[in-house]
Amino acid sequence: MSKTILAVDDSGSLRQMLSFSLKAAGYGVIEAVDGQDGLNKAKQHKVDLVLTDQNMPGMDGLSLIKALRAMKNYQSVPILMLTTESGDDMKAMGRAAGANGWLVKPFDPARLTEVVKKLIG
Amino acid sequence: MIANDMSSSERLNAQVMNLLSGVSEHGDQHLAEVERDLVQMDVLLDEAIKKLCASFMAIHHAVDLQQKALNGLLADGMPAPEYAAHFEALRGEINQHVGAAVTGLQFQDMTSQLIGRMVQHLAGLRDVFGALDTNGSVLPESNNEALLATLSHISDRVGTCCTELAGGVRSTVNQRHMESGDIELF
């Protein structure tokens, strides 16, 4: 059975590219349009890895990570931030919130799948 | 028009009030135009990227089918080694271009974020121009006290607008390298 990845981004084109790249690598993908939608879908489905943007309307990426880490079944699920933010302060905040890694946009599909494979096989 | 029978103090008050209203009105008009254009630019970019994404997906699907058909043909016969190597090289080349296209199609997202940030700044500037508006009010007193009080009030409103703007604007997009971004695992 393929592993499932929750891709959270408010940009439709970004979600489409993420979905395309991850599905091509054999993963199942659930898309969410913002942090709140991501949190709802994380509660409804069994997810093996979360990829989230930071700047989104409503709930942002850091808030989503904190909310997920507060849930018992998401304490050890890898969470990656995929964002335009590249400052050390933001990365430190992401790390403190419980992110496992930081990817700066735009992503290269081969490098992305390499990282995902390293984390969840 | 400022009447000639006014005292110099009254004329000064009226001129300042006119100036503030004029700056407020014209500034707001120009910013509203720029804001409309930016929003329209975002709509056009969004439409362009949707069409490009749809075409990209369709092309990829067709190439994928072609590749499968080719694999079937190769499996049936015994292609010359140079052809087999050539097909393999082409497959690698296609994958490389697909990867580059996926990276390229993400730049609209970053552009859209910057446009959103510019629109926020424009809205903030329009608030500042709105704060300058004296709403056609005329100062009743001929001394400068009323003018000073009005300017102080406007200054406070402008200060409030600037504080609100600073707190609400999303961070900028500082992408300098046009290849894929850094990856850091914690």
Side-chain angles (χ1 to χ4, degrees):
Chain A
M1 202 172 129
S2 68
K3 302 272 175 70
T4 303
I5 295 168
L6 175 61
V8 189
D9 201 303
D10 59 329
S11 161
S13 59
L14 221 297
R15 287 198 307 277
Q16 203 172 1
M17 290 304 109
L18 270 176
S19 208
F20 170 80
S21 307
L22 295 168
K23 281 178 180 170
Y27 298 104
V29 179
I30 298 167
E31 294 182 22
V33 298
D34 57 31
Q36 189 57 57
D37 189 29
L39 188 59
N40 294 341
K41 284 178 175 157
K43 287 174 183 170
Q44 292 161 13
H45 305 273
K46 187 195 169 296
V47 170
D48 298 291
L49 183 141
V50 179
L51 251 174
T52 180
D53 183 19
Q54 162 57 14
N55 298 314
M56 293 179 285
M59 184 187 278
D60 63 19
L62 285 175
S63 306
L64 171 64
I65 295 175
K66 286 175 192 163
L68 288 173
R69 289 299 185 219
M71 291 162 63
K72 202 176 171 186
N73 49 341
Y74 277 92
Q75 281 171 6
S76 60
V77 170
I79 303 178
L80 296 172
M81 191 71 103
L82 176 62
T83 175
T84 52
E85 304 271 1
S86 56
D88 290 339
D89 290 352
M90 281 301 292
K91 284 183 188 174
M93 284 164 74
R95 191 174 188 163
N100 297 90
W102 198 275
L103 287 76
V104 178
K105 290 178 182 175
F107 71 85
D108 169 65
R111 291 180 71 199
L112 173 72
T113 48
E114 201 178 296
V115 170
V116 169
K117 201 172 177 186
K118 194 171 176 181
L119 291 169
I120 59 171
Chain B
M1 278 299 276
I2 311 295
N4 278 335
D5 55 353
M6 285 178 164
S7 71
S8 65
S9 179
E10 284 172 328
R11 287 205 304 275
L12 174 67
N13 286 0
Q15 285 284 12
V16 171
M17 298 298 267
N18 277 345
L19 174 68
L20 289 172
S21 288
V23 168
S24 173
E25 188 185 336
H26 292 293
D28 185 66
Q29 276 175 7
H30 287 295
L31 289 179
E33 287 292 325
V34 176
E35 194 176 331
R36 265 193 294 275
D37 288 349
L38 277 174
V39 170
Q40 178 64 7
M41 187 194 288
D42 199 29
V43 168
L44 294 174
L45 268 174
D46 189 54
E47 189 59 31
I49 211 71
K50 275 181 189 158
K51 287 182 161 63
L52 280 171
C53 279
S55 297
F56 167 77
M57 292 295 183
I59 291 169
H60 184 265
H61 182 65
V63 170
D64 202 36
L65 290 177
Q66 195 180 39
Q67 195 77 54
K68 281 173 184 156
L70 196 59
N71 287 344
L73 286 173
L74 291 175
D76 288 343
M78 283 294 287
E82 65 267 29
Y83 281 121
H86 186 55
F87 288 138
E88 198 50 44
L90 279 176
R91 196 198 314 264
E93 203 178 315
I94 288 168
N95 285 340
Q96 211 174 358
H97 288 307
V98 166
V102 168
T103 303
L105 286 167
Q106 297 166 54
F107 281 84
Q108 178 262 349
D109 173 48
M110 289 182 277
T111 311
S112 184
Q113 281 189 39
L114 277 176
I115 291 174
R117 183 177 145 87
M118 284 188 267
V119 169
Q120 279 181 311
H121 273 291
L122 285 175
L125 261 180
R126 288 183 73 188
D127 287 343
V128 169
F129 279 120
L132 291 181
D133 194 2
T134 56
N135 297 310
S137 59
V138 177
L139 297 177
E141 297 164 45
S142 60
N143 61 40
N144 288 336
E145 289 307 312
L147 178 62
L148 286 173
T150 301
L151 290 176
S152 170
H153 183 57
I154 289 173
S155 188
D156 287 347
R157 287 201 313 243
V158 169
T160 305
C161 291
C162 293
T163 309
E164 283 171 1
L165 179 64
V169 177
R170 69 192 305 171
S171 49
T172 190
V173 177
N174 282 317
Q175 201 69 29
R176 292 284 180 271
H177 304 292
M178 295 303 145
E179 305 305 321
S180 64
D182 291 338
I183 295 176
E184 191 178 334
L185 288 180
F186 303 140

